[in-house]
Amino acid sequence: MTIRVLLADDQALLTGTFRVLIDAADGLEVVATAGDGEEAVRLARSTAPDVVVMDIRMPRKDGLSAAEQISADPRLDGTRVLILTTFETGDRITRALRAGVSGFLGKGVGPAEFLAAIRTVAAGDMVLSPLATHTVVTRYLAAAGPDRPEASPREMDHLTPREQEVLLCAAEGLTNDEIAERLFVSPLTVRTFVQRIMHKLGVHHRAQLVALAYRTGFARVPQPPPARPRTGPAP
């Protein structure tokens, strides 16, 4: 089955490059392109793509506002949003997750990782960059209220050894495909394990699951990725 993709970015050169890359991949096709957030929402409603690859900074309506509209539209219940941006800040990552996006990546990702991310979110799973993973974990650890997952380290003992392996891999930010490759099982088996783990621990989505693994001490809190060295002349 072909995964249908809508590209939303105000930089025509990037959009063209992404389109060539996606259309050349097996099982993927671009059904439409948008140059701003308003057009992205309109085209999403008219084409009902499986995945919308969305930039954040666009004219008329930014990508996060567009993502909120798409995620809230019952007619687009099967459409997933993948944010691809150069602006990876904690506030934007948090707002994107609250908007219901299924993925958040920086534009520095390689072609293979980009295509894999599209396939992952189309399958109903979540993809987060290392910085986004760190932001999710630290903010959930500090959060108070109904969204904060509640569990004790003892509850991790209720997981089978295989489930514990899968949870540790998920806490590293690995996708289901990457976990499957590491553990020599099928992606479908990994997905079943993840759903079973969430049910046992009483969480509702993958971000909560990952945060819970760190808050209980089951996994170690990751350090933020190092800043990239400056490539231009010093000011």
Side-chain angles (χ1 to χ4, degrees), residues 208-229:
Q208 280 188 330
L209 180 64
V210 170
L212 182 61
Y214 290 106
R215 195 173 66 78
T216 59
F218 183 75
R220 293 185 178 182
V221 177
Q223 296 301 311
R228 294 183 180 179

Side-chain angles (χ1 to χ4, degrees), residues 51-133:
V51 178
V52 179
V53 178
M54 187 95 70
D55 190 15
I56 288 182
R57 294 189 63 175
M58 292 187 292
R60 295 207 291 173
K61 186 187 296 292
D62 67 84
L64 297 182
S65 297
E68 288 172 349
Q69 283 192 256
I70 291 171
S71 298
D73 193 328
R75 295 169 294 179
L76 298 175
D77 186 56
T79 297
R80 306 286 181 260
V81 178
L82 170 63
I83 296 292
L84 188 68
T85 181
T86 55
F87 299 96
E88 288 189 270
T89 65
D91 289 342
R92 287 191 171 99
I93 292 168
T94 301
R95 184 182 166 195
L97 294 174
R98 287 175 177 167
V101 306
S102 296
F104 195 104
L105 294 177
K107 286 186 177 178
V109 298
E113 186 178 356
F114 172 55
L115 296 175
I118 293 175
R119 293 188 173 98
T120 297
V121 299
D125 297 317
M126 180 172 280
V127 175
L128 296 175
S129 69
L131 179 57
T133 299

Side-chain angles (χ1 to χ4, degrees), residues 6-218:
L6 166 63
L7 291 173
D9 197 306
D10 64 336
Q11 298 184 52
L13 181 59
L14 280 179
T15 301
T17 301
F18 292 152
R19 180 165 202 157
V20 170
L21 179 64
I22 292 170
D23 284 340
D26 291 337
L28 301 176
E29 70 169 341
V30 175
V31 295
T33 61
D36 61 68
E38 286 190 9
E39 188 178 20
V41 174
R42 178 177 59 80
L43 288 174
R45 288 170 174 163
S46 64
T47 64
D50 299 300
V51 178
V52 179
V53 178
M54 187 95 70
D55 190 15
I56 288 182
R57 294 189 63 175
M58 292 187 292
R60 295 207 291 173
K61 186 187 296 292
D62 67 84
L64 297 182
S65 297
E68 288 172 349
Q69 283 192 256
I70 291 171
S71 298
D73 193 328
R75 295 169 294 179
L76 298 175
D77 186 56
T79 297
R80 306 286 181 260
V81 178
L82 170 63
I83 296 292
L84 188 68
T85 181
T86 55
F87 299 96
E88 288 189 270
T89 65
D91 289 342
R92 287 191 171 99
I93 292 168
T94 301
R95 184 182 166 195
L97 294 174
R98 287 175 177 167
V101 306
S102 296
F104 195 104
L105 294 177
K107 286 186 177 178
V109 298
E113 186 178 356
F114 172 55
L115 296 175
I118 293 175
R119 293 188 173 98
T120 297
V121 299
D125 297 317
M126 180 172 280
V127 175
L128 296 175
S129 69
L131 179 57
T133 299
H134 180 264
T135 298
V136 168
V137 170
T138 54
R139 294 209 173 192
Y140 267 108
L141 289 176
D147 284 342
R148 177 170 175 164
E150 296 295 339
S152 67
R154 291 181 182 177
E155 294 189 52
M156 297 300 177
D157 294 337
H158 298 163
L159 303 179
T160 67
R162 197 55 154 176
E163 289 169 347
Q164 291 181 0
E165 283 185 294
V166 171
L167 179 54
L168 283 173
C169 289
E172 289 183 37
L174 300 183
T175 66
N176 284 357
D177 286 345
E178 291 169 336
I179 296 173
E181 184 177 354
R182 177 179 292 188
L183 301 182
F184 303 103
V185 295
S186 72
L188 181 59
T189 298
V190 173
R191 189 173 185 183
T192 300
F193 271 119
V194 171
Q195 291 172 342
R196 188 182 304 161
I197 294 166
M198 288 194 293
H199 177 72
K200 284 186 175 182
L201 298 180
V203 298
H204 304 293
H205 55 75
R206 199 181 186 103
Q208 280 188 330
L209 180 64
V210 170
L212 182 61
Y214 290 106
R215 195 173 66 78
T216 59
F218 183 75

